[in-house]
Amino acid sequence: MITGSLVALVTPMFPNGDIHWEHLDNLVDFHLENGTHGIVAVGTTGESATLDPDEHCRVVGHIIKRVNGRIPVIAGTGGNSTREAIELTTEAHKLGADACLLVVPYYNKPTQEGLYRHFRTIAEAVPVNQILYNVPGRTACDMLNDTVERLADIPNIIGIKDATGNIPRGADLIRAVEGRLVVYSGDDATAADLMLAGGKGNVSVTANVAPRGMSALCEAAIAGNKDEVARINESLMPLHRKLFLEANPIPVKWALQRMGLIGEGIRLPLTPLDEKFRGEVEDALIASGAL
């Protein structure tokens, strides 16, 4: 079982948008040295929407090689085309990913039956562990708990990243799929509560800049240590809030740049963090001890 703090890793870039491979190596090393439990490569935070398929696979493969089996690597391979998702998932499996993260199809708004068939088809096509990803705030399509329950019976669907931020709904899902798949949070601000309700980890944006804190938070929450969770989460809450002042990954890439870990590159249509927000993000970095 993959558990704990799973960083949704950014993809470092040069100012012209080319991938900065040296900075990517440095980020992987930063997480290996600071207790991150797993890396999610080329998800939303990794700018999957603007990497072409070749770049997408090269980044996944590069991270897998750099990690060299020391922690799990989960490859983002979802899409709103079932065929494309199968192709990306197949390639990630060949590259040695420990699991693949598959987002609910966006923009085309499939039915619940369409979602079930989409994920079942991918799972049957590629024999790799797969984690579903429900984030209706971005996809405009919400996979309901009943649909997840149906998918939980497919052996290589091992988990779901729930980014709804709805704790009662998440707790209901945890109870419904117990023993069949695990539930991870995909929402930093509510992750502690979901893990205390039985979730097994957090796919985290905040972990990019505060890996030790997020790892400690996840360990305490999974162990049910409420007092420790409250203490750590209070220190991280400024980051949970301020890293979403503009669309992810705009603020977190600026934060990493401010920390000296990456350069200023980001790809259009995303733009660098607006100057009016930079002081707030910097204050959050200082308050959490990241800077």
Side-chain angles (χ1 to χ4, degrees):
M1 184 189 297
I2 298 171
T3 63
S5 177
L6 312 174
V7 63
L9 195 69
V10 306
T11 301
M13 297 172 182
F14 288 98
N16 68 357
D18 289 346
I19 295 167
H20 200 310
W21 300 102
E22 182 181 353
H23 284 178
L24 182 58
D25 284 341
N26 293 342
L27 285 184
V28 170
D29 293 346
F30 175 63
H31 286 284
L32 290 170
E33 293 163 4
N34 284 281
T36 294
H37 300 115
I39 293 176
V40 176
V42 199
T44 305
T45 310
E47 293 177 78
S48 57
T50 54
L51 268 61
D52 66 41
D54 178 65
E55 290 174 318
H56 190 123
C57 295
R58 286 179 65 201
V59 172
V60 169
H62 192 93
I63 291 171
I64 291 170
K65 185 176 180 180
R66 188 73 177 187
V67 168
N68 194 28
R70 285 173 283 182
I71 57 175
V73 176
I74 303 163
T77 59
N80 61 350
S81 161
T82 306
R83 289 187 178 186
E84 180 183 2
I86 289 172
E87 291 171 2
L88 288 172
T89 304
T90 298
E91 187 60 28
H93 180 43
K94 290 178 181 177
L95 290 167
D98 295 282
C100 291
L101 181 70
L102 293 131
V103 70
V104 165
Y106 44 88
Y107 187 74
N108 46 13
K109 299 178 77 171
T111 64
Q112 295 300 307
E113 181 62 24
L115 293 174
Y116 172 76
R117 295 187 188 187
H118 170 80
F119 289 115
R120 184 189 68 187
T121 299
I122 300 166
E124 290 175 346
V126 191
V128 66
N129 289 333
Q130 297 176 25
I131 300 170
L132 314 174
Y133 176 17
N134 190 34
V135 56
R138 279 188 177 265
T139 62
C141 182
D142 187 3
M143 183 161 59
L144 302 180
N145 283 2
D146 288 347
T147 304
V148 180
E149 287 186 59
R150 293 177 68 194
L151 290 163
D153 290 325
I154 298 172
N156 59 325
I157 294 180
I158 63 166
I160 179 168
K161 175 185 173 183
D162 181 344
T164 64
N166 185 327
I167 299 304
R169 172 178 167 171
D172 287 343
L173 180 61
I174 289 167
R175 287 189 292 268
V177 299
E178 186 175 5
R180 293 186 289 164
L181 58 77
V182 298
V183 178
Y184 306 96
S185 174
D187 179 63
D188 280 312
T190 61
D193 289 334
L194 190 67
M195 287 185 285
L196 287 171
K200 298 302 182 184
N202 180 34
V203 180
S204 174
V205 175
T206 298
N208 277 281
V209 298
R212 284 194 182 275
M214 283 306 304
S215 295
L217 176 69
C218 290
E219 290 171 3
I222 292 169
N225 189 339
K226 294 182 180 181
D227 291 341
E228 184 72 357
V229 168
R231 183 188 67 80
I232 299 170
N233 205 38
E234 182 179 3
S235 70
L236 294 173
M237 193 56 71
L239 288 173
H240 297 339
R241 292 173 176 153
K242 301 303 183 180
L243 290 179
F244 295 92
L245 286 171
E246 290 189 317
N248 178 47
I250 291 172
V252 73
K253 288 197 97 173
W254 185 86
L256 286 165
Q257 180 188 344
R258 179 66 182 82
M259 293 170 68
L261 293 172
I262 66 171
E264 63 184 21
I266 196 166
R267 283 192 183 177
L268 288 170
L270 300 181
T271 52
L273 183 67
D274 193 300
E275 289 188 9
K276 68 183 179 183
F277 296 126
R278 294 180 182 183
E280 292 185 65
V281 175
E282 183 170 6
D283 288 346
L285 289 171
I286 294 169
S288 67
L291 191 64

